[in-house]
Amino acid sequence: MYNSKITGLGYYVPDNVVTNDDLSKIMDTNDAWIQERTGIKERRHVVKGEDTTTSMGVKAAKIAIERAGIDKDDIDFIVFATLSPDYYFPGPGVLVQRDLGIKTVGALDVRNQCSGFVYAISVADQYIKTGMYKNILVIGSELHSHGLDMTTRGRGVSVIFGDGAGAAVLSRAENEHEGILSTHLHSEGQHAEELSLIAPGMGKRWVSDIIADNDPNDESYFPYMNGQFVFKNAVVRFSEVIMEGLKKNNLKPTDIDLLVPHQANLRISQFIQSKFGLKDDQVFNNIMSYGNTTAASIPIALTEAWESGKVKTGDLVVLAAFGSGFTWGSVIIRW
Ligand code: UT7
């Protein structure tokens, strides 16, 4: 059995900054509401034609590969987490293989929304543990902005989400006491529709239904979120899965050097911080600048934390996420 560790991190966000005031010009919302309820000040939106989910992932991946000190040809496997793929099929994993010019290694797409990066890391960790692969490229990338209802009708969802990508290279660790100590994954499909995008799909609403109805007021292809219900579940599940990871490794909340939570809502991060008695510098948040970037949020935040010197060798770093599915998970890392 081998351990895996993160050897390279990178992120990319589009240049186009969209402030809360910008949104208030196109829908009935305001800066005070958005900041008070979510902590978000601004987010990035892709300008059509300049980027896709894959191209952002590729840009983040290039940085991560370079920082890992390896060549793209050393990548043995690709794992790509997103809920906003370029195409319905094939998934973006193969597009990354093509666009980075990586040899014909396997490419896996992970569909676990806000928990996508945690799931992707867990999958990659298992392949390294068994010795099957040495270097795995893990990407989380989302292009939300052009799939949101940018009218007052959609304001409860559309002000929250932003575009961007983050990537990590997971490599075989030299030392069994460093790297990813454990990963913990959960799901509760009972609440699948509470945060969902139903159409087009082969379940309730087919492409042929949408075309036949030709209804300009059709909301079914915009994301839906039962915000308060999701919030209540998030605070419980975040706490549970962090504790589960700590207990598995005989650790306590006071052992955490840095918690990097999925950036769903600043209020959720603050709740967890206070529940675990962590200081401000022990929890990394950047939702203020990027909004919720779903599968990209943890790798973007982790990269920014690492770049600003907040992640040091020997630190106990905890990643945790909760989102649509519901799915949730944590990763316990000795850096
Ligand atoms: O990343 C995946 C996991 N996601 C989450 O964890 C998100 C969890 N949920 C949340 O973060 C919060 O529920 C939201 C930020 C989405 C919403 O905050 P809330 O405090 O739960 O607000 P609400 O949905 O209960 O809406 C309160 C009021 C409503 O008006 P009335 O009915 O009280 O008159 C909404 O219509 O705020 C109104 N509202 C808005 N007002 C201005 C909803 N969205 C907006 C908006 N601007 N953008």
Side-chain angles (χ1 to χ4, degrees), residues 29 33 37-38 114 155-156 160 227-228 230 262 264-265 268 292:
T29 190
W33 190 97
R37 308 279 176 139
T38 71
C114 299
R155 65 183 179 173
I160 295 167
Q228 291 196 7
V230 174
H262 161 55
N265 185 318
I268 294 176
N292 179 346

Side-chain angles (χ1 to χ4, degrees), residues 27-30 33-34 37-38 114 155-157 159-161 195 225-228 230-231 234 262-265 268 292 294 322-324:
M27 64 181 83
D28 181 12
T29 190
N30 57 78
W33 190 97
I34 300 173
R37 308 279 176 139
T38 71
C114 299
R155 65 183 179 173
V157 172
V159 302
I160 295 167
F161 293 95
L195 175 47
M225 176 162 67
N226 181 349
Q228 291 196 7
V230 174
F231 192 105
H262 161 55
Q263 302 292 291
N265 185 318
I268 294 176
N292 179 346
T294 309
F322 174 89
S324 162

